[in-house]
Amino acid sequence: MDLTLTAEERAFRAEVRAFLRANIPAETKRKVDLGLPLVKDDYVVWQKILYARGWIAPTWPKEHGGPGWSPIQRYLFDEELAAASSPRLITFGLKMLGPVLIEFGTEAQKARFLPRILASDDWWCQGYSEPGAGSDLAALTTRAVPDDDDYIVNGQKTWTTLAQYADWMFCLVRTSNEAKKQAGISFLLIDMTTPGVTVRPIRMLDGGVEINDVFLEDVRVPKENLVGAENDGWTVAKFLLTRERFGIAGVARSKVQMARVRDIAAKELKGGCPLIEDARFRERLAEVEIDLTALEMTELRLLSEEAAGRPPGPESSILKLKGTEVQQAITELLLDACGINGHALDPDLIDGLARTDGANLVPLVPEHAATVAGHYFNWRKASIYGGSNEVQRNIIAKAILGL
Amino acid sequence: MNFTFSEEQLLIRDAAERYFREAGGPEIRRRHQALIGGFCPETWAAFADMGWLALGIPEVFGGIGGGGVETAILMEAMGRGLSVQPYLATVGLAAWAVSHGAPPDLAAAVLPRVAAGELILSFAHLEPGMRHDLDRVACRAVADGGAFRLTGEKVLAPFGGQAVMTVVAARTAGAPGETQGLTLFLIDVDAPGLTLRDHATVDDLRAATLVLDDVPVPAERILGEVDDGHGLLSAAVDRGAALLAAEATGLMAALVDGTVGYLKQRRQFDRPLSAFQALQHRLTEMYLETELTRSLVYMAAVRIDGDDPQAAARAVAQAKAKTGQAGRLVGQEAVQLHGGMGVTDEMAVGHYFKRLTMIDQALGDRAHHLERLAAAPD
Ligand SMILES: Cc1cc2nc3c(=O)[nH]c(=O)nc-3n(C[C@H](O)[C@H](O)[C@H](O)COP(=O)(O)OP(=O)(O)OC[C@H]3O[C@@H](n4cnc5c(N)ncnc54)[C@H](O)[C@@H]3O)c2cc1C
């Protein structure tokens, strides 16, 4: 056991750091630092920069365009991405569908879709959940009925993140009602421009629009867009969910957010002194930091296991569960640090800050406090999506504790 | 000792619950928000008709008397109904300060109009760097003959943009950090030198930022004693905090009921979610926390009318600190147990959650009240 980086690892980190800092678009960085809303281009432009450098898909095998990094290198890369104020990379293509196609896709599917995922030419979204199938995903009822070389798909997906930007959706559909409900599901790729696909935005409690209903009405999908065997989509779906959970811990990002808490607490006052000098507040910081460090060390232990050839199984649920709890604890620290300054809603400020033309407004609140409340509200989602934290507990109870 | 409501208190409670069952909730609130300033004149008139705006105002000034408990009962019902009206600002904070601090002529000019629903009042004590420390007021009031001239910035004056007058805390002497030297004034919102910016808050209420530039205020508009306003200010703020805690109790109760109802109806894994014991226990915890908070709120509501200011301050601090912790738990759990529905703008739960969250940030957050309790002599 050794907590120090080797000389090569340090050199790797220095190289990554230099590149990321030199190349992240200043506007994107500023938005991320202030927690402002991002638009499609912010993501795509940046992802294309990483793509050009060959670093867009750290988890992919080399022959498909991955950089061939070790788990520790991937960890360092994530750290540096967060430290450089990178937006979250959009995971649907890169971390979900890509590995799925590499594992289950036909050669034609790989050739058609993987390069466009790498280049961020296609934006993918995830069509799993339905109104009647959330935690009980296998209860999904969207039907795909064979018709010559096509399927005809009818149903509704919901909570579909950023479907408003998506060119394609990977989708779980029911192709059989005969056996156990998990056994009749298939994994289908749907072109969002196909007639019969309608996207309807869902407003979230902070006013943002990042989730959608997706209605599918007699949508014609070529059979060549089936991934894996018909009725074997559950295997594919589960493979993907384990991946999703791994990425979701967000340790590096949480570290950056903790630094932001400190930064804000140095600006905010309590009793006329900087809040950061307040012993009680510092204790709260220390508590969250303990949890974050414990999470980071746990992730490193799992990564070392992976490096030794033992890829993570249900343990990834630990990371999802605790990772999102820490993220949420940090949003509480941010909210509490800003105190009354987080109470006014200043859409013009948020809007103006997000624009480059420099709207000349007298802000209602300090810049650093403009988004903390909205962020706290919005981030309650983290313990709901990606398999809710209750579902993660069920998985740990069953698959690890054998209950 | 008696913890049951009087006949009259029960009448207030039943009327309020009935009214908000019919007129409350997020749909109504959304409609109110669409109106200018999020304030609904018809609703305000209905409040006046029911005598709610006269609560706590002495009978000689057109009020119906009544005190902390009656007002808390009402605020709890408003919480349940997610009421968006400037009730706390007008009745809970400002009218109380006027009742207890204004010279008789001023009280006679203002309070009957408040009781009749003709006058909305705001309460402007906060400033940007103040957090929750009342002694950090920096806004200056300079004597000018018998009158004063006020200069400074006030933030988050509740419904300041809809109010006709507002209480303002300013410094007639001393420096920020000192309790001595504070004075309360009742000023006209359209006074010369006053610039007001009306805005929404993150929990969908209205508030205003006030910039005061040499605003003249006649001596008749002073509430309480010059330089000695800290006591009146902190008593008003404490009363407001107790009432906010009462509102929070109503919000929490609504979230408990709403979540119980949702889990009974939402089916996953071929059964209602309410059948999962893990979730039953979570609901139970929400319920327990709500009841414990409610008990502290009633205690505080009684104490704020008592004759022991220390006991009152302690009771309020306990109730408000508890509200901060319990409100956060109940709000977060309600959202969580609604799953994806919980984070949408469409469902009521998110609106209740937002308001509950921001109640902790208003009139002293949990940390502030804990600190008061920790600092109080044994
Ligand atoms: C912001 C956001 C983005 C999302 N993005 C996507 C996306 O891009 N694509 C997609 O397909 N889906 C997405 N989802 C959907 C997400 O996966 C579901 O919300 C989640 O699976 C929960 O389902 P549900 O909302 O139906 O809640 P429900 O399943 O109705 O659950 C309600 C509550 O009950 C609990 N519960 C349920 N079953 C049990 C049990 N057996 N034991 C104990 N507790 C239980 C849950 O944990 C939850 O707290 C997103 C959700 C959100 C909020």
Side-chain angles (χ1 to χ4, degrees):
Chain A
M1 210 163 273
D2 185 358
L3 292 175
T4 48
L5 297 175
T6 64
E8 298 87 82
E9 284 163 349
R10 279 202 306 275
F12 170 80
R13 183 175 64 182
E15 184 196 357
V16 168
R17 181 173 298 175
F19 178 83
L20 297 181
R21 300 214 167 158
N23 288 283
I24 178 117
E27 264 315 302
T28 307
K29 172 174 162 36
R30 201 176 60 93
K31 286 187 195 175
V32 171
D33 286 341
L34 289 170
L36 298 165
L38 298 165
V39 295
K40 184 172 184 172
D41 257 5
D42 293 319
Y43 295 105
V44 173
V45 167
W46 175 231
Q47 290 187 182
K48 281 185 177 291
I49 292 172
L50 293 175
Y51 167 64
R53 185 66 184 78
W55 290 351
I56 190 63
T59 55
W60 291 23
K62 230 177 155 142
E63 69 265 31
H64 291 296
W69 289 338
S70 71
I72 298 298
Q73 282 178 312
R74 272 165 19 213
Y75 159 82
L76 291 173
F77 182 69
D78 274 349
E79 289 261 290
E80 293 305 321
L81 264 186
S85 310
S86 159
R88 281 158 215 281
L89 302 187
I90 295 300
T91 57
F92 302 111
L94 292 166
K95 285 204 171 155
M96 298 184 188
L97 184 65
V100 158
L101 289 179
I102 290 166
E103 183 84 11
F104 300 98
T106 62
E107 288 314 311
Q109 286 169 342
K110 288 183 204 170
R112 179 173 175 200
F113 294 115
L114 292 181
R116 295 184 61 83
I117 292 175
L118 284 173
S120 296
D121 286 338
D122 289 334
W123 186 297
W124 285 86
C125 66
Q126 178 184 26
Y128 276 26
S129 306
E130 297 180 5
S135 300
D136 186 9
L137 183 57
L140 61 93
T141 57
T142 294
R143 283 206 53 91
V145 179
D147 182 58
D148 289 337
D149 291 341
D150 299 330
Y151 289 105
I152 310 283
V153 183
N154 277 286
Q156 182 195 342
K157 294 294 169 181
T158 190
W159 314 126
T160 323
T161 298
L162 298 179
Q164 71 266 37
Y165 295 158
D167 306 296
W168 284 83
M169 171 166 74
F170 56 86
C171 194
L172 292 178
V173 295
R174 184 156 298 288
T175 35
S176 161
N177 274 324
E178 273 158 37
K180 202 168 133 225
K181 55 188 181 179
Q182 283 83 354
I185 292 172
S186 301
F187 192 100
L188 213 53
L189 310 178
I190 299 182
D191 181 342
M192 295 295 276
T193 60
T194 321
V197 179
T198 314
V199 176
R200 196 197 65 162
I202 301 172
R203 219 174 115 92
M204 283 180 73
L205 79 180
D206 64 332
V209 175
E210 58 183 61
I211 46 180
N212 303 270
D213 285 317
V214 178
F215 299 94
L216 303 163
E217 225 179 311
D218 291 330
V219 178
R220 194 165 272 280
V221 182
K223 280 190 177 158
E224 63 189 36
N225 290 1
L226 177 73
V227 180
E230 194 177 83
N231 295 333
D232 198 25
W234 195 247
T235 315
V236 182
K238 276 204 318 204
F239 170 89
L240 184 151
L241 281 176
T242 318
R243 301 265 152 170
E244 179 179 6
R245 273 159 213 162
F246 211 81
I248 230 165
V251 168
R253 222 157 267 282
S254 287
K255 284 192 190 169
V256 172
Q257 289 297 308
M258 280 305 285
R260 183 167 165 226
V261 175
R262 289 178 178 281
D263 196 42
I264 287 178
K267 293 179 183 145
E268 288 285 343
L269 299 175
K270 175 157 178 259
C273 301
L275 176 65
I276 193 70
E277 291 168 11
D278 181 68
R280 284 192 185 81
F281 190 75
R282 295 183 71 85
E283 260 180 41
R284 283 189 62 196
L285 283 180
E287 295 220 41
V288 177
E289 243 146 22
I290 292 171
D291 286 343
L292 179 54
T293 310
L295 179 70
E296 181 178 23
M297 293 305 132
T298 307
E299 182 167 37
L300 284 170
R301 277 170 58 206
L302 290 174
L303 284 174
S304 299
E305 288 285 298
E306 192 189 340
R310 291 181 292 272
E315 291 80 12
S316 66
S317 288
I318 305 174
L319 301 180
K320 155 57 172 66
L321 180 50
K322 287 293 157 190
T324 53
E325 281 182 4
V326 168
Q327 291 161 24
Q328 290 177 333
I330 295 173
T331 65
E332 288 186 46
L333 287 175
L334 287 167
L335 179 76
D336 293 340
C338 291
I340 60 167
N341 283 337
H343 204 148
L345 180 68
D346 194 343
D348 295 337
L349 174 64
I350 297 173
D351 221 45
L353 286 170
R355 282 201 314 260
T356 39
D357 55 6
N360 201 6
L361 284 161
V362 185
L364 281 168
V365 293
E367 226 174 65
H368 67 252
T371 57
V372 289
H375 193 56
Y376 168 74
F377 297 146
N378 176 282
W379 218 254
R380 300 315 305 170
K381 70 187 177 188
S383 48
I384 296 169
Y385 62 37
S388 76
N389 286 12
E390 288 72 30
V391 165
Q392 305 303 335
R393 286 191 170 84
N394 289 343
I395 292 171
I396 292 170
K398 265 204 204 95
I400 301 181
L401 303 179
L403 300 172
Chain B
M1 185 148 318
N2 176 7
F3 253 99
T4 52
F5 291 134
S6 70
E7 202 69 19
E8 248 159 69
Q9 290 167 344
L10 283 175
L11 282 176
I12 293 178
R13 189 193 65 185
D14 294 346
E17 283 183 355
R18 203 171 329 112
Y19 177 79
F20 286 108
R21 239 193 330 272
E22 280 154 30
E27 254 325 299
I28 302 284
R29 187 174 151 117
R30 229 190 299 261
R31 226 177 306 143
H32 291 174
Q33 281 158 11
L35 298 167
I36 296 289
F39 164 69
C40 173
E42 294 81 50
T43 304
W44 198 246
F47 282 17
D49 282 348
M50 283 179 287
W52 296 347
L53 304 182
L55 257 186
I57 293 179
E59 282 166 37
V60 286
F61 297 127
I64 56 169
V69 176
E70 288 75 14
T71 321
I73 288 172
L74 205 50
M75 286 291 294
E76 188 180 331
M78 289 179 181
R80 259 189 185 276
L82 202 65
S83 166
V84 75
Q85 302 307 312
Y87 188 77
L88 178 76
T90 299
V91 177
L93 290 164
W96 186 85
V98 171
S99 293
H100 288 75
D105 283 355
L106 181 59
V110 170
L111 295 175
R113 296 183 60 204
V114 169
E118 296 162 14
L119 203 58
I120 292 170
L121 304 178
S122 183
F123 198 85
H125 71 295
L126 289 175
E127 298 176 19
M130 217 170 111
R131 196 166 287 266
H132 302 292
D133 306 306
L134 302 181
D135 59 10
R136 304 298 319 172
V137 166
C139 174
R140 302 228 53 112
V142 181
D144 179 16
F148 284 88
R149 289 186 167 271
L150 272 55
T151 300
E153 187 186 352
K154 293 288 170 184
V155 295
L156 293 168
F159 289 90
Q162 292 69 44
V164 178
M165 296 175 178
T166 181
V167 174
V168 171
R171 196 161 271 294
T172 35
E178 296 171 13
T179 48
Q180 200 55 29
L182 293 183
T183 306
L184 299 189
F185 300 88
L186 183 69
I187 68 172
D188 294 331
V189 166
D190 63 359
L194 194 159
T195 320
L196 180 145
R197 187 166 163 205
D198 171 53
H199 64 83
T201 59
V202 292
D203 47 350
D204 299 323
L205 300 182
R206 303 302 303 186
T209 294
L210 274 54
V211 177
L212 301 117
D213 183 12
D214 220 22
V215 176
V217 186
E220 308 85 73
R221 291 297 193 86
I222 294 169
L223 306 180
E225 302 297 321
V226 173
D227 288 352
D228 221 9
H230 186 266
L232 185 60
L233 174 61
S234 60
V237 167
D238 263 358
R239 170 166 292 260
L243 295 175
L244 272 180
E247 182 189 346
T249 307
L251 292 159
M252 285 191 254
L255 284 173
V256 172
D257 289 354
T259 311
V260 167
Y262 184 75
L263 292 197
K264 280 185 176 167
Q265 159 251 308
R266 168 76 172 162
R267 293 179 70 85
Q268 290 285 271
F269 306 100
D270 302 317
R271 77 206 83 168
L273 285 178
S274 58
F276 290 102
Q277 197 168 47
L279 299 183
Q280 290 173 0
H281 286 186
R282 303 268 289 269
L283 288 168
T284 307
E285 209 59 38
M286 291 166 68
Y287 163 78
L288 289 174
E289 290 296 316
T290 303
E291 286 306 317
L292 292 172
T293 306
R294 177 178 277 141
S295 302
L296 289 173
V297 165
Y298 291 158
M299 171 188 72
V302 173
R303 291 263 191 252
I304 52 175
D305 286 337
D307 47 17
D308 182 347
Q310 251 178 12
R314 183 182 160 80
V316 170
Q318 288 188 327
K320 189 64 170 47
K322 178 70 188 169
T323 302
Q325 166 261 325
R328 202 160 275 195
L329 176 125
V330 171
Q332 292 179 352
E333 288 288 76
V335 169
Q336 179 69 20
L337 298 184
H338 276 76
M341 286 307 231
V343 293
T344 62
D345 181 64
E346 196 180 312
M347 289 285 282
V349 53
H351 297 271
Y352 282 87
F353 164 63
K354 290 201 285 188
R355 177 72 192 126
L356 196 48
T357 301
M358 296 324 285
I359 281 181
D360 182 38
Q361 304 292 339
L363 304 183
D365 63 359
R366 174 171 163 77
H368 172 79
H369 288 291
L370 279 179
E371 222 159 90
R372 283 174 82 189
L373 291 166
D378 292 323

